[in-house]
Amino acid sequence: MTDLLKLDGVAHRKRGKEELTSFPDILLREGNAICLSGASGSGKSLVLKIAAGILKPTQGNITCASVPRAYIFKEDGLLNNYSVWDNLMLPLIFSSQQGGLEERANDALHRFELANIKNDIVGGLPQPPKKLLQYARALVLNPKILFIEEPLKNIRSEHYNQVKTWLKEYILQEKAGCLFTSVSSEQWGDLKPQCIRLSGGGVSFKTIIEE
């Protein structure tokens, strides 16, 4: 299996703080998922953002394959003054994958049951369809690496299985890798992720690797 992402000896110092916070080493391969679990404040989102390149580490090495990537935020990560369709298509302007984008976008809207609000302005929508829109956008981008903050956060319970099934199928069929955060890893048994449990959030993380 091809290595997609590797964090080695990474540590981060928050602005204005003296403490250097160290992180667990991470190796994400094709067809695999890794769950960063732990209570609120344990550092899950911080690790995820550093792995995705949103934040820079103070020290250590991050090696990431030159492949398409998508980041799904816990809240929405969308442009509220634009329509659902515009939000779906805007990132694709900068994508190298130009063939059949509109067809893939429509398929993604139907997959996540968003076709009926295609022309609605995102700012007027509740959180559940906003989160599903992020998944639809990721599907169109066809990323090789998925970074996801709390995959089921702000999603109605009736859509839980839909999201979990899509994620499992996508990782297997596309040989993608997924690094995601979750308060608990127990609900992700079908995905069979490697689990890295974080606790504390002080100078260093206590890490438990569960195969």
Side-chain angles (χ1 to χ4, degrees), residues 4-22:
L4 296 174
L5 175 71
K6 184 177 181 180
L7 274 69
D8 186 17
V10 169
H12 182 261
R13 180 181 289 111
K14 292 183 178 180
R15 183 177 297 177
K17 301 291 185 179
E18 294 185 3
E19 297 88 353
L20 190 66
T21 304
S22 60

Side-chain angles (χ1 to χ4, degrees), residues 165-211:
T165 298
W166 171 76
L167 193 55
K168 180 180 179 180
E169 291 176 352
Y170 186 85
I171 291 171
L172 292 176
Q173 292 173 6
E174 302 297 328
K175 294 184 178 180
C178 180
L179 181 65
F180 67 98
T181 66
S182 182
V183 173
S184 172
S185 62
E186 294 178 1
Q187 59 188 329
W188 296 100
D190 290 345
L191 193 59
K192 297 181 180 178
Q194 177 191 15
C195 178
I196 300 177
R197 275 199 283 138
L198 306 178
S199 63
V203 175
S204 62
F205 292 111
K206 177 181 179 184
T207 307
I208 300 173
I209 309 295
E210 301 173 354
E211 297 294 344

Side-chain angles (χ1 to χ4, degrees), residues 78 114 117 125-134 154 156:
L78 302 167
L114 299 170
I117 59 170
L125 298 175
Q127 283 296 333
K130 287 184 178 183
K131 188 65 171 279
L132 292 176
L133 177 55
Q134 289 197 77
N154 294 321
R156 295 189 180 97

Side-chain angles (χ1 to χ4, degrees), residues 47-102:
V47 175
L48 191 70
K49 285 183 170 66
I50 288 176
I54 295 175
L55 296 176
K56 290 184 178 180
T58 304
Q59 67 182 39
N61 298 308
I62 299 176
T63 305
C64 188
S66 298
V67 295
R69 287 162 278 175
Y71 195 101
I72 297 175
F73 293 86
K74 181 164 54 177
E75 297 303 327
D76 52 56
L78 302 167
L79 299 174
N80 285 324
N81 293 327
Y82 289 77
S83 69
V84 168
W85 180 255
D86 289 339
N87 269 272
L88 194 63
M89 296 300 291
L90 189 59
L92 303 180
I93 296 174
F94 307 100
S95 173
S96 60
Q97 308 172 50
Q98 296 299 318
L101 289 181
E102 191 163 331

